[in-house]
Amino acid sequence: MWRVGVDVGGTFTDLFAWNVKTGERRTAKVLTTRRDRSEGVVNAVEKANIPFGEISHFMHGTTTATNALLERSFPDVALVTTDGFRDTIEIGRQHRQSLYDPYQKKPRPIIPRRFRFTLTERMGAHGDVVTPLDTARAVEIAKDIHQLGLQAVAVGFINSYANPAHERQMRDILTEHAQNCQVVLSAETRPVFREHGRFTTTAVRAAVLPVMKSYFDRLAEQFANRGFTGALLTLKSNGGVMGVALAKDHPEELIESGPAGGVSYAAYLSQTCEHERLIHTDLGGTSYDASIVENGTGLVTRNYELEWEIPIVVPMLDIHSVGAGGGSIAWIDDGGSLRVGPASAGSEPGPACYGLGGTKATITDANLILGRIQPTLGGKMELDVEAAKRALQPIADTIGLSLLDTAEGMIRIACENMGQAVKMVVLSRGRDPRDFAIASFGGAGPMHACFVAQAMNIPTVVVPPYAGVASAFGATCMDIRHDLEEFFYAPVSGVDMQTITRLYEQLEARGRALLAADGVSPGDVVIERSAQMRYIGQTYEVDTPIPGGKLDDSHRAGIVSGFHHEHRREHGVSSDDFDVAIVSLGIKAIGAVPHPPMEKQAIDQANKKASAAGARPVYFSGKWVNTQVYSGQTLTPGASLDGPAIIEYEDSCTVIPPGCSARVDGTNNLVISVETEAELDEYSTEHALVDSH
């Protein structure tokens, strides 16, 4: 039986599959079908020639929820909240994204003001009823919502995390008077304090509930019509997967569903190569993702923002994304400067060289003109070099550069944008980028990875054999996982350890029940505890591991010491002068599943040079340079090569600039040693061909 992973991107839909019995592996890459992304998923399976009836597990990463939120392309939904809090999701925390920009605008709120309703009620911070719910007003609101025909409603009352009784009462009234309207409670979505994050997360869930239900229903129907009877799973933002039936009710956990697969592959890769600390980077047709992998796992954040001041307070892999990809469009700003992205040609119409109607110059067109892409993409499609030149020529004329220098300028600008994404995710977590290696994924990622590494002074780039379908591969490496959290505030010095044990046991029971619903046997369940902790008086928390089993006073010092360690790692400092408090308790309920076996091979200790399949001129640093071209499938462990070089894989292409070198390790990863910019320029000058080529 086959285990299949699919990643639906803005331009391409990627597939990786492996047969549990035979070990056979297959890949596929097709254009994403924007009108109905489920069609592209089916196309990928059919291209891989895998019978739907022979698929035991289908793991699916999708950006459908994210796109719906960013584009505001979801049905109108309502919010019911406490008097005085109608505008909380719009006012936010009154931060400014750009301190000195007087013209900045906040993004549109998830729910417009005309669909936000308030009523009298009040819970105290300790769960006591301060003001009873105004049931008459609640009935009026429910009838108004029903008359408006809204499909979903978010209910978010102040302090409901301490006592959800009023929210549940409101749900009962809505169920009675606003039939066919899905009701989402903030106390069940994320029972944590700070109402802004809790309200916006609840609004997000309500908004994309109809979108994701419709999408998953279409996908399940198409699969069932083709004989699929296996487990249909979707990737979660936290680095795990869950069943589609549960995902329909928890769409806020799918915001980073697509990029999560790439982080999973980087974690898998960190166990097979000599670099345990990796910066996962994934460059597709539309976006560039960057994140950190340490100790075999991706870092998680609870401070994710969909857009400025729209936080989603669920555990998510700490991934930073920018609008840079093979389809990123070049343009001239008002000051006459060349810019690239974030707008993308996507899959429809795509880059100009695709011949699908696109007329705007993109990164793919620039790479084709510079000789870095083979015009037939290994026989998969015919790229039109002349169309690419026609698209770039107006840009070149406007800025007064040659066509080639304009194309190379586009690449440099795009790589600088990518470098800023790496810088953001690494430095914000207190890490030094020089301590890491870049793991380069995506069809276009390895073409630019060395230039990004050079900009960030990162000495090593690792390109795995399945880089072009990395997120799809990573999907097959992901365990079933559920993150559960419960608000609980107490200074550690005086906390009742029996109470904490009881709360953890309740969370663990819920987690085991969710895993059982996903078909996980009890023997495959792993539970990991954590707590959100802070120094008393701080306004932010640090995720801290907590021991399993029964907790007693003997664990108190170890918990505090663990917090100091995590705080020091995240922020560079810790202190014994301040008391430590617990803010919330959480667990990871993990259901282990089989992963693709590691393909290790013996390395030929003799330093053998790889044999090139051919050569062609490639434009580097203002000069044409004769460049060796290699087939990635023929490179074996122990082989080495020097730049400039092009390595063409089935689903991606690697560019090794002049002055850099590479070798193949025991798991067929291409490990590239990156040189400095000065060294690259010196090499390019010495080995340049004539400009008239």
Side-chain angles (χ1 to χ4, degrees), residues 93 186 189-202 204 252 301-305 310-316 485:
R93 295 160 294 187
S186 75
T189 300
R190 211 67 196 166
V192 294
F193 75 147
R194 298 192 180 110
E195 66 277 2
H196 179 226
R198 179 161 47 88
F199 287 4
T200 57
T201 304
T202 308
V204 163
E252 76 283 358
T301 181
R302 286 176 170 80
N303 298 315
Y304 179 89
E305 286 189 336
I310 302 183
I312 301 179
V313 291
V314 299
M316 292 191 180
E485 194 170 6

Side-chain angles (χ1 to χ4, degrees), residues 442-637:
M447 296 185 64
H448 306 85
C450 289
F451 303 106
V452 175
Q454 179 187 356
M456 294 298 297
N457 289 320
I458 297 172
T460 305
V461 171
V462 180
V463 180
Y466 296 102
V469 291
S471 291
F473 185 107
T476 65
C477 303
M478 299 173 75
D479 296 323
I480 299 172
R481 173 174 160 180
H482 298 287
D483 288 306
L484 302 176
E485 194 170 6
E486 184 79 24
F487 178 80
F488 178 83
Y489 181 85
V492 177
S493 59
V495 69
D496 182 0
M497 289 296 181
Q498 291 184 343
T499 300
I500 291 181
T501 299
R502 175 176 54 81
L503 293 173
Y504 272 124
E505 289 174 346
Q506 292 174 357
L507 289 171
E508 290 166 6
R510 288 170 52 197
R512 293 179 188 277
L514 289 171
L515 291 176
D518 283 327
V520 178
S521 61
D524 293 328
V525 173
V526 176
I527 301 291
E528 297 179 5
R529 293 177 177 177
S530 64
Q532 288 282 292
M533 299 174 63
R534 67 185 185 188
Y535 293 112
I536 293 177
Q538 280 184 322
T539 58
Y540 59 88
E541 294 77 46
V542 173
D543 205 32
T544 305
I546 301 295
K550 299 287 185 182
L551 299 176
D552 54 38
D553 289 341
S554 66
H555 293 94
R556 203 181 305 271
I559 291 173
V560 172
S561 176
F563 166 75
H564 289 320
H565 172 76
E566 294 299 325
H567 195 283
R568 190 162 52 249
R569 186 168 71 160
E570 288 295 314
H571 303 288
V573 295
S574 63
S575 175
D576 296 326
D577 298 332
F578 300 95
D579 291 334
V580 177
I582 294 172
V583 173
S584 67
L585 308 175
I587 66 158
K588 301 174 188 174
I590 302 170
V593 299
H595 296 173
M598 299 178 185
E599 298 179 322
K600 287 192 174 184
Q601 301 180 40
I603 297 178
D604 187 350
Q605 297 303 320
N607 184 18
K608 58 181 183 178
K609 289 292 182 179
S611 298
R616 67 173 181 259
V618 179
Y619 201 77
F620 289 108
S621 300
K623 303 289 183 181
W624 286 104
V625 181
N626 192 49
T627 302
Q628 300 295 307
V629 180
Y630 301 84
S631 171
Q633 282 70 33
T634 64
L635 297 179
T636 57

Side-chain angles (χ1 to χ4, degrees), residues 69 74-79 110-111 151-155 182-185 189 199-212 248-252:
L69 290 167
F74 48 78
D76 289 328
V77 295
L79 170 68
I110 297 296
I111 299 176
Q151 298 183 31
V153 55
V155 179
Q182 293 179 285
V183 183
V184 177
L185 306 186
T189 300
F199 287 4
T200 57
T201 304
T202 308
V204 163
R205 177 189 277 195
V208 290
L209 266 173
V211 175
M212 296 312 298
K248 292 178 185 178
D249 295 328
H250 298 268
E252 76 283 358

Side-chain angles (χ1 to χ4, degrees), residues 35-247:
R35 61 188 177 278
D36 183 354
R37 294 170 187 264
S38 64
E39 292 181 12
V41 175
V42 172
N43 293 341
V45 178
E46 292 177 342
K47 184 176 181 179
N49 197 27
I50 299 175
F52 283 84
E54 296 181 13
I55 300 174
S56 62
H57 293 78
F58 188 91
M59 282 73 73
H60 175 39
T62 176
T63 56
T64 302
T66 312
N67 293 337
L69 290 167
L70 293 177
E71 298 167 3
R72 301 296 192 269
S73 57
F74 48 78
D76 289 328
V77 295
L79 170 68
V80 180
T81 188
T82 310
D83 277 340
F85 292 88
R86 181 182 185 183
D87 299 316
T88 294
I89 65 172
E90 189 165 358
I91 295 172
R93 295 160 294 187
Q94 301 189 55
H95 294 173
R96 295 176 65 86
Q97 186 173 15
S98 301
L99 186 60
Y100 299 109
D101 181 4
Y103 303 106
Q104 63 186 299
K105 294 182 179 179
K106 284 193 173 186
R108 284 189 295 144
I110 297 296
I111 299 176
R113 198 170 195 272
R114 64 183 180 278
F115 296 136
R116 303 199 295 258
F117 304 88
T118 65
L119 76 168
T120 301
E121 70 82 38
R122 188 77 179 203
M123 285 289 179
H126 299 287
D128 52 310
V129 177
V130 177
T131 304
L133 181 79
D134 184 344
T135 54
R137 173 61 180 154
V139 171
E140 289 179 8
I141 291 172
K143 291 180 177 179
D144 289 344
I145 290 172
H146 177 67
Q147 189 172 11
L148 288 168
L150 304 180
Q151 298 183 31
V153 55
V155 179
F157 291 152
I158 191 69
N159 295 328
S160 62
Y161 64 88
N163 184 349
H166 284 176
E167 287 193 356
R168 291 172 179 170
Q169 188 178 355
M170 186 70 219
R171 175 170 58 190
D172 292 340
I173 293 172
L174 286 163
T175 301
E176 180 180 356
H177 297 282
Q179 295 88 354
N180 302 320
C181 181
Q182 293 179 285
V183 183
V184 177
L185 306 186
S186 75
E188 294 177 357
T189 300
R190 211 67 196 166
V192 294
F193 75 147
R194 298 192 180 110
E195 66 277 2
H196 179 226
R198 179 161 47 88
F199 287 4
T200 57
T201 304
T202 308
V204 163
R205 177 189 277 195
V208 290
L209 266 173
V211 175
M212 296 312 298
K213 183 179 185 303
S214 174
Y215 174 77
F216 283 132
D217 286 346
R218 290 196 309 273
L219 184 66
E221 181 181 7
Q222 292 207 47
F223 273 39
N225 292 340
R226 290 166 173 81
F228 175 78
T229 58
L232 185 57
L233 307 168
T234 187
L235 277 60
K236 299 175 63 175
S237 304
N238 65 2
V241 296
M242 64 178 169
V244 163
L246 185 60

